[in-house]
Amino acid sequence: MDPSDTSLYGGRVLVSDYSQINDEGEREEYVPVAQIMGVQFKNCGQRGYRDYWDPRYALAIQNTKPTESSYVKSCSVDVSHNHAIGILGSHNVEVSGNVIYHSRGSGVLTNSENTKIEGNTVIYMRSYGNWETPVENDNYKMDACFETYETKTASLKDNRCAGSERAGFSTQGEELSSNFWENNVAHSCLWGIFVRKAKIEVTKLNNVILWQNYDFGVVHWSGSSLVIQNSVFADNGFSVFAMIAGPHPLSHSLTNKYVEYKNTLIYGRNANSACDERMKNKNPTATLTGIGYHSPVPGKEDILGYTSATLWADFLAGRTNQYKIP
């Protein structure tokens, strides 16, 4: 595809089940296996077609056999006009060792069970609300370099992301007894990790490094308790913003919910940080989220510089409008 083409309508690869009528007039079902290695996807994906039933991503694997060995390994995506890689209704798929640059939507997205996401790098994830013309002032969609919040069994290890206009990771986290999360890094994103809609009692974030994320290191906006362990936070606008929902007062019920830190370092401002070069209020990435809560740098009111460590913690009756305006 011609890189100068501005139609945002590139090619795409779809691996999906399908059916057809055979010569005997009977319907036959075909369920594929996807084994993709060492492939470059350049200027792919089609703008706007984001529904799971019509996923026009650079690569979408949909409804493959859960008992077979499907994988995407050592591939690269160089500009995608939609999400880059989507694993939809396809269980036990491995996505490892891939590099994704400049996706207009999430880098790796899964709603499937036991997706193995390891050793991937996602750089420069654009937000739909920012690159559309005109800018979509009410677009609060929180895409992420790694979007896994619709499943609680995705394994995320040794992944790196940088330069996301929304979140680095959008996830439920993992259960206390699990070992799915390890050595993941997010920096220079709007939010480092967004914990949302967790369907577990306690969300654990283990061995994460979050640094120089503009607004938040972690936003926890869920009904689960939160445990952060063996992690490092540095130079984030607000390192941990924990909002725990429920139970509602009118339910007359009592639940033990909490936020716990174990072996975790929170570092405010590195002496070598270039405060003058931090994102300004006028940047759409900041203004579209309605945030702007940082304390301004004295004498430079259009630059947001001061940081906070943690909100300890905010217990709410239920989910609120905080998704839009933390």
Side-chain angles (χ1 to χ4, degrees):
M1 179 180 177
D2 182 0
S4 64
D5 184 4
T6 59
S7 67
L8 307 181
Y9 199 86
R12 62 173 178 137
V13 175
L14 173 64
V15 181
S16 179
D17 63 343
Y18 69 98
S19 63
Q20 67 180 21
I21 304 299
N22 61 23
D23 294 338
E24 287 73 34
E26 299 175 341
R27 180 173 296 278
E28 292 184 338
E29 304 287 338
Y30 296 88
V31 182
V33 173
Q35 296 184 338
I36 303 170
M37 177 182 287
V39 178
Q40 181 184 31
F41 300 85
K42 187 175 180 64
N43 293 305
C44 293
Q46 297 175 4
R47 166 188 177 183
Y49 294 91
R50 315 184 98 202
D51 296 311
Y52 289 169
W53 52 268
D54 188 16
R56 302 193 188 184
Y57 315 157
L59 170 63
I61 299 177
Q62 185 180 49
N63 299 334
T64 59
K65 287 184 178 180
T67 57
E68 300 291 345
S69 180
S70 291
Y71 57 76
V72 183
K73 299 180 181 180
S74 304
C75 295
S76 66
V77 179
D78 183 1
V79 182
S80 175
H81 306 307
N82 205 318
H83 302 308
I85 299 175
I87 311 299
L88 309 174
S90 300
H91 309 309
N92 306 326
V93 177
E94 178 179 350
V95 181
S96 62
N98 303 287
V99 177
I100 298 170
Y101 169 75
H102 195 172
S103 62
R104 291 182 166 100
S106 295
V108 178
L109 178 152
T110 180
N111 66 355
S112 310
E113 299 302 313
N114 302 317
T115 308
K116 184 179 180 181
I117 304 173
E118 298 186 1
N120 302 282
T121 300
V122 179
I123 303 172
Y124 191 31
M125 191 220 78
R126 301 291 306 277
S127 165
Y128 255 46
N130 290 5
W131 60 266
E132 289 281 5
T133 302
V135 172
E136 297 179 350
N137 292 318
D138 295 323
N139 189 325
Y140 298 102
K141 178 71 171 70
M142 190 57 66
D143 293 326
C145 293
F146 297 93
E147 184 174 327
T148 65
Y149 77 92
E150 292 194 69
T151 175
K152 60 182 181 181
T153 60
S155 172
L156 290 102
K157 297 182 179 181
D158 303 314
N159 298 290
R160 304 289 185 269
C161 59
S164 171
E165 292 185 344
R166 285 294 185 260
F169 296 85
S170 178
T171 177
Q172 293 190 42
E174 64 176 334
E175 297 182 281
L176 279 176
S177 59
S178 301
N179 189 29
F180 293 147
W181 267 73
E182 186 174 333
N183 195 29
N184 294 298
V185 178
H187 73 86
S188 307
C189 303
L190 187 67
W191 299 0
I193 298 177
F194 182 24
V195 180
R196 57 189 298 194
K197 298 182 179 180
K199 299 176 182 178
I200 53 182
E201 291 186 5
V202 181
T203 291
K204 181 179 71 174
L205 298 177
N206 178 56
N207 194 10
V208 298
I209 300 176
L210 306 175
W211 56 280
Q212 286 195 348
N213 294 293
Y214 173 70
D215 273 322
F216 301 103
V218 171
V219 174
H220 178 278
W221 187 57
S222 182
S224 63
S225 293
L226 176 64
V227 173
I228 298 175
Q229 63 185 35
N230 307 320
S231 299
V232 176
F233 299 79
D235 285 345
N236 301 293
F238 201 131
S239 286
V240 180
F241 195 89
M243 296 172 289
I244 299 179
H248 196 280
L250 295 182
S251 68
H252 303 290
S253 59
L254 178 65
T255 303
N256 181 25
K257 296 188 178 183
Y258 58 91
V259 176
E260 183 176 1
Y261 297 86
K262 299 179 180 179
N263 192 31
T264 292
L265 172 66
I266 299 179
Y267 192 101
R269 169 67 66 209
N270 188 324
N272 295 320
S273 294
C275 296
D276 290 353
E277 297 178 4
R278 289 178 67 81
M279 190 188 311
K280 297 186 177 183
N281 282 329
K282 297 178 182 179
N283 188 295
T285 300
T287 58
L288 285 178
T289 59
I291 297 176
Y293 64 86
H294 292 260
S295 299
V297 175
K300 300 178 180 180
E301 303 303 321
D302 61 341
I303 298 178
L304 306 175
Y306 291 160
T307 64
S308 301
T310 182
L311 175 70
W312 195 279
D314 193 0
F315 296 93
L316 309 172
R319 292 164 62 93
T320 68
N321 197 43
Q322 302 283 7
Y323 176 86
K324 295 183 179 181
I325 308 176

